[in-house]
Amino acid sequence: TLIEAAKQLAAYTAVDRHLLPQHKIIGIGSGSTVPYVVERIVAQGADANKHRVFLPTGHQSKELIVQGGLTLGDIDQYTDLDLTIDGADEVDADLNCIKGGGACHLREKVLAEAAETFIVVADYRKNSHILGTNYKVGVPIEVTPFAYARLLQTLRRIGSPLAALRMAKAKAGPVVTDNGNFVIDAPFPESHLRNPPALLQELKMLTGVVEVGLFCGMAKAAYFGNEDGSVAVRW
Ligand code: DER
């Protein structure tokens, strides 16, 4: 499909441009775009990859690394990364991202922050001027289960009346993250989403919030595959 081709194009372009021979410690994100990232890395060949370790951002990411025949690394041992590549749910004109559609954004943010270079790859649907233009589900917020009910109350009061606990589709009950936490999706109006750093700070301070799916000032560049087979780059 056009969307899959766009994901592949963004991923291939980013790997070709940013994964250099001297890069040895690589963070691999989560979602449906990063499989193309791993595919392109594997295509660099066994020699290029034999001295590299790859750090996952969750079970899906770990499986991609293992199935790609790439060496798994542990963040406990490799605390500083050369490069992390990940998808996003939406990216604005200043490279702020909404992330967490896949409920992996805590580990994603750790590896994004730990990398010298953090690159985002996405299809054209994610390319916005202001966050919330296309991604309407809300800001994903990983929360400790103990505090979720109070946080729902607070979020609804401070500007997200439609804030909701993310329920699982293939399991009864809420989504439980790899870290054993819940996720609240909190839609905010443009008035809040036009200043992502301020919203991030406000949300991060709420008691019981573990991590917020707003990545501000982290990405060095974003690659968007377009419907017409071209690539848009923002940096
Ligand atoms: O949860 C995330 O941030 C993931 O990176 C994911 O949402 C990216 O979306 P994708 O499946 O369209 O790549």
Side-chain angles (χ1 to χ4, degrees):
T1 68
L2 272 182
I3 290 177
E4 288 309 306
K7 292 179 181 182
Q8 182 183 52
L9 186 58
Y12 280 27
T13 306
V15 169
D16 292 352
R17 191 166 303 174
H18 290 280
L19 181 56
L20 306 178
Q22 67 268 29
H23 291 153
K24 301 297 181 208
I25 306 169
I26 316 296
I28 299 295
S30 302
S32 62
T33 306
V34 288
Y36 296 111
V37 169
V38 173
E39 194 174 270
R40 196 61 169 177
I41 292 172
V42 172
Q44 289 196 354
D47 278 354
N49 289 313
K50 67 171 177 279
H51 298 304
R52 287 176 172 150
V53 291
F54 295 85
L55 279 59
T57 49
H59 295 300
Q60 179 227 357
S61 176
K62 182 191 279 190
E63 280 309 302
L64 288 174
I65 294 166
V66 169
Q67 283 156 16
L70 300 169
T71 304
L72 264 183
D74 192 308
I75 179 100
D76 295 358
Q77 184 170 5
Y78 301 98
T79 52
D80 295 297
L81 285 67
D82 295 310
L83 174 68
T84 291
I85 305 182
D86 199 352
D89 298 300
E90 192 168 29
V91 185
D92 74 7
D94 300 318
L95 286 176
N96 298 304
C97 301
I98 292 180
K99 283 178 61 51
C104 296
H105 58 287
L106 172 60
R107 299 189 185 195
E108 289 172 338
K109 194 178 271 191
V110 172
L111 294 198
E113 191 178 76
E116 172 68 29
T117 300
F118 173 52
I119 300 292
V120 169
V121 290
D123 62 78
Y124 49 89
R125 297 171 303 166
K126 309 343 187 31
N127 186 352
S128 297
H129 189 67
I130 295 178
L131 295 180
T133 307
N134 293 302
Y135 189 75
K136 300 290 186 190
V137 177
V139 176
I141 306 171
E142 181 157 342
V143 305
T144 178
F146 186 80
Y148 95 88
R150 281 197 51 79
L151 276 166
L152 276 175
Q153 210 174 314
T154 303
L155 287 163
R156 289 167 179 163
R157 178 167 40 83
I158 65 170
S160 184
L162 297 178
L165 184 65
R166 188 181 297 183
M167 303 311 285
K169 292 188 172 53
K171 167 188 173 291
V175 166
V176 178
T177 70
D178 295 338
N179 315 301
N181 296 315
F182 289 167
V183 176
I184 291 174
D185 290 301
F188 283 94
E190 184 186 309
S191 55
H192 289 67
L193 287 169
R194 64 181 320 120
N195 187 348
L199 181 57
L200 170 58
Q201 189 168 350
E202 182 184 9
L203 295 178
K204 193 71 186 274
M205 289 303 291
L206 301 176
T207 301
V209 167
V210 176
E211 193 47 73
V212 179
L214 291 171
F215 287 38
C216 302
M218 299 182 81
K220 181 165 286 182
Y223 290 79
F224 303 97
N226 291 322
E227 289 173 286
D228 64 1
S230 66
V231 181
V233 190
R234 183 177 299 148
W235 67 85

